[in-house]
Amino acid sequence: MENFWDYSVWGTLNVVAVLLASLLVGNILKKSVGFLKDSLIPISVIGGGILIFVAWVYKLITGEIMFDSVFFGASGTKTLEMFTYHCLALGFIASTLKTSDGKVTKERAVEVFNTGVTTVSTYLLQGVVGMVITMAAAAFFIPDFFESAGVLLPFGYGQGTGQAMNYGGIYENDFGFEGGKSFGLTIAAMGFLSASIGGVVHLNLLKRKGIIGKKASRIRHTHIEGENEIPMQESIDKMTVQIALIIVTYMITYFLMNGISKLIPGMTSLIFGFNFLLGVLAATLVKETMRFLKKKNCIQRDYTNNFLLTRASNFFFDIMVVSGIAAIRLSVLEKYWGIMLILGLAGLFITYFYNRFVAKKLFPAYCEQQFLMMYGMLTGTASTGTILLREMDGDFETPAADNMVYQNFPAIVFGFPMMLLAMLAPEKPVLTLIILAAFFAVMNIILFRSFIFKFKKKKTEV
């Protein structure tokens, strides 16, 4: 029988409280410390950094791992990893449940498609460069190093903390990469720093050129509550409805993953690593079911609210980032810092210059806005991309923000093979590198098709 005063009852709640407290302290530091105030480092990253520092001091004093102490139920590190894993999918589900009234024109459909292809092309470029770096490190500098670790670069930079931990965990548990989870989480943390550093440098350049000035965004009443939605407060609170829809959708996601894993027993870890992907699928099914029921007059009102779903999504992503960074075990990464620093810098430069080139070529009407959104998203998360975009387009007047939302579907279609390739990398790294490079070339042919085939057509006419 559980006693209510036992740490087994309070451990998880204590972890949540410490995570939220770190966000509050991070917010205070962000508002008061000069260099943090001027930076674009997300508060969730600052909060995670605070917890890493506190945990480091705690270990110096006690010799124990702070989050595995009795206060946190003796399993706080696993709880942090669990939060990181679940919040990734919950954030995507909340984003997918949002509705859109805008009609996509043919031109806009092309821009959305190109954004999705750019996302996957950047993943592939990050994967190729990351693999080259870690394979070279294993061949010439650290013979016992896990040579396929570089494939974690696109998961840490391109897809964020949750996926970096998922694949790092698979490499650690299934392929013997010691410290794989912490390696992936550290790469993801470096991605946020890259987003902040590259973003600040670029924004300062634009400000010096007089291209942008300070512009505040406005939240209108219609953004908070639509015309045909359920009331904000009734017998059940509107926020409660949003959370219920998100959690029920995630339960459907579990049934999907469980069913598929029983059909393909040898792929269980991979299938459950795709929780965010199947979460998007489940959320789409739920959204379309509700739309169908409304069309048939089975339900009269709109139950989802974009404003509240955005708040919920941002909450889950904040918890994902702070818990993921807090879960990093510095002790298992002591001999890898040089490689991680090289990976981090390489990720910053290739993501910056590649996306800058694509934005100039394919999005000339709103080049700077598209670049800021893509660079922020492909070094951090969608929230990081939004932070950078708001510095220039506070009211989202350009299509850049919509591109970020709708690009998920083409990105998932083209990006899925890369996720499968990540499972091949530990066994056949050279073959994986060749396939990634070939795939990158193909994606760029698709991306720049209007230039390539137009040139060929002109050459034929001549």
Side-chain angles (χ1 to χ4, degrees):
M1 182 177 178
E2 291 281 4
N3 295 316
F4 291 133
W5 54 85
D6 285 346
Y7 285 121
S8 59
V9 175
W10 286 88
T12 300
L13 185 62
N14 288 338
V15 172
V16 174
V18 167
L19 290 176
L20 295 176
S22 73
L23 290 174
L24 293 176
V25 174
N27 185 56
I28 294 170
L29 293 175
K30 176 79 171 175
K31 302 297 182 184
S32 56
V33 177
F35 76 93
L36 290 177
K37 190 175 182 180
D38 296 333
S39 77
L40 296 173
I41 301 174
I43 290 169
S44 55
V45 175
I46 298 172
I50 291 169
L51 291 179
I52 284 182
F53 176 75
V54 172
W56 175 70
V57 173
Y58 181 90
K59 189 169 184 181
L60 282 179
I61 296 171
T62 66
E64 298 177 355
I65 297 170
M66 185 180 78
F67 281 104
D68 288 342
S69 63
V70 177
F71 180 74
F72 295 110
S75 59
T77 302
K78 288 185 178 179
T79 303
L80 291 172
E81 292 173 354
M82 179 187 71
F83 286 160
T84 305
Y85 172 77
H86 288 310
C87 285
L88 172 69
L90 291 168
F92 270 98
I93 288 169
S95 296
T96 306
L97 286 173
K98 292 194 293 185
T99 57
S100 174
D101 299 324
K103 292 184 178 179
V104 179
T105 63
K106 185 177 179 181
E107 182 182 356
R108 289 288 300 113
V110 170
E111 290 175 341
V112 169
F113 177 80
N114 286 342
T115 303
V117 176
T118 304
T119 298
V120 178
S121 294
T122 307
Y123 292 166
L124 293 165
L125 179 59
Q126 290 169 340
V128 169
V129 172
M131 286 284 286
V132 168
I133 290 170
T134 54
M135 287 172 70
F140 300 108
F141 302 105
I142 310 175
D144 61 340
F145 182 62
F146 189 75
E147 60 181 341
S148 298
V151 85
L152 291 173
L153 182 60
F155 293 110
Y157 272 52
Q159 296 192 10
T161 312
Q163 278 297 86
M165 189 198 72
N166 284 352
Y167 276 91
I170 291 171
Y171 290 168
E172 184 172 336
N173 298 329
D174 297 348
F175 298 100
F177 178 22
E178 183 184 357
K181 284 182 184 177
S182 289
F183 192 95
L185 290 170
T186 304
I187 293 296
M190 293 177 75
F192 284 106
L193 293 176
S194 295
S196 304
I197 294 167
V200 168
V201 169
H202 190 76
L203 286 168
N204 284 334
L205 288 174
L206 295 179
K207 286 176 182 177
R208 286 179 185 176
K209 293 177 181 178
I211 296 175
I212 60 172
K214 194 69 178 176
K215 185 179 181 182
S217 61
R218 301 184 299 274
I219 296 178
R220 302 180 180 88
H221 174 72
T222 52
H223 292 168
I224 299 174
E225 186 168 5
E227 292 180 5
N228 196 42
E229 293 180 1
I230 58 174
M232 191 64 72
Q233 288 183 328
E234 206 176 36
S235 55
I236 184 172
D237 192 89
K238 196 170 187 175
M239 188 65 190
T240 306
V241 174
Q242 311 308 305
I243 298 298
L245 287 170
I246 294 167
I247 300 299
V248 169
T249 301
Y250 197 34
M251 183 178 67
I252 295 170
T253 304
Y254 170 77
F255 289 136
L256 283 173
M257 292 189 295
N258 199 40
I260 295 170
S261 64
K262 286 181 178 177
L263 293 174
I264 318 172
M267 302 283 283
T268 301
S269 60
L270 179 63
I271 291 164
F272 275 85
F274 287 157
N275 64 331
F276 79 101
L277 186 59
L278 289 166
V280 169
L281 175 61
T284 304
L285 292 173
V286 168
K287 186 166 65 173
E288 292 303 318
T289 300
M290 293 177 69
R291 188 177 295 172
F292 174 78
L293 291 173
K294 188 181 177 187
K295 189 176 180 181
K296 296 296 182 181
N297 291 320
C298 296
I299 56 176
Q300 306 297 322
R301 309 293 292 273
D302 293 324
Y303 283 82
T304 57
N305 175 271
N306 285 359
F307 178 79
L308 293 178
L309 285 171
T310 300
R311 305 280 71 76
S313 175
N314 290 345
F315 169 77
F316 289 127
F317 285 138
D318 280 339
I319 296 297
M320 177 191 75
V321 173
V322 70
S323 58
I325 294 174
I328 294 172
R329 299 276 294 276
L330 297 177
S331 58
V332 301
L333 298 174
E334 291 175 356
K335 58 182 179 180
Y336 300 150
W337 282 110
I339 297 172
M340 286 191 295
L341 183 61
I342 294 170
L343 278 173
L345 290 172
L348 189 160
F349 286 111
I350 61 173
T351 306
Y352 182 95
F353 288 108
Y354 179 72
N355 280 277
R356 187 90 183 113
F357 175 76
V358 172
K360 283 182 175 180
K361 283 286 185 181
L362 299 180
F363 302 90
Y366 51 100
C367 166
E368 298 296 348
Q369 293 89 339
Q370 178 75 9
F371 165 73
L372 287 168
M373 179 274 294
M374 290 298 292
Y375 175 74
M377 182 179 70
L378 290 168
T379 48
T381 62
S383 298
T384 319
T386 303
I387 289 170
L388 290 178
L389 178 60
R390 275 182 173 162
E391 292 291 320
M392 187 171 186
D393 185 12
D395 290 327
F396 300 137
E397 294 171 353
T398 67
D402 287 338
N403 289 349
M404 179 171 62
V405 175
Y406 296 121
Q407 62 88 30
N408 281 311
F409 289 99
I412 286 170
V413 171
F414 287 113
F416 185 73
M418 183 186 166
M419 297 179 187
L420 296 177
L421 280 173
M423 299 302 293
L424 176 68
E427 296 177 346
K428 297 184 178 180
V430 176
L431 177 61
T432 301
L433 178 59
I434 293 171
I435 295 174
L436 286 174
F439 196 10
F440 175 70
V442 170
M443 294 306 292
N444 277 274
I445 291 172
I446 295 172
L447 187 60
F448 297 106
R449 61 198 178 280
S450 58
F451 293 94
I452 295 170
F453 295 109
K454 184 178 179 182
F455 173 76
K456 285 186 176 180
K457 188 177 179 182
K458 283 184 176 180
K459 197 171 181 181
T460 304
E461 288 175 355
V462 173

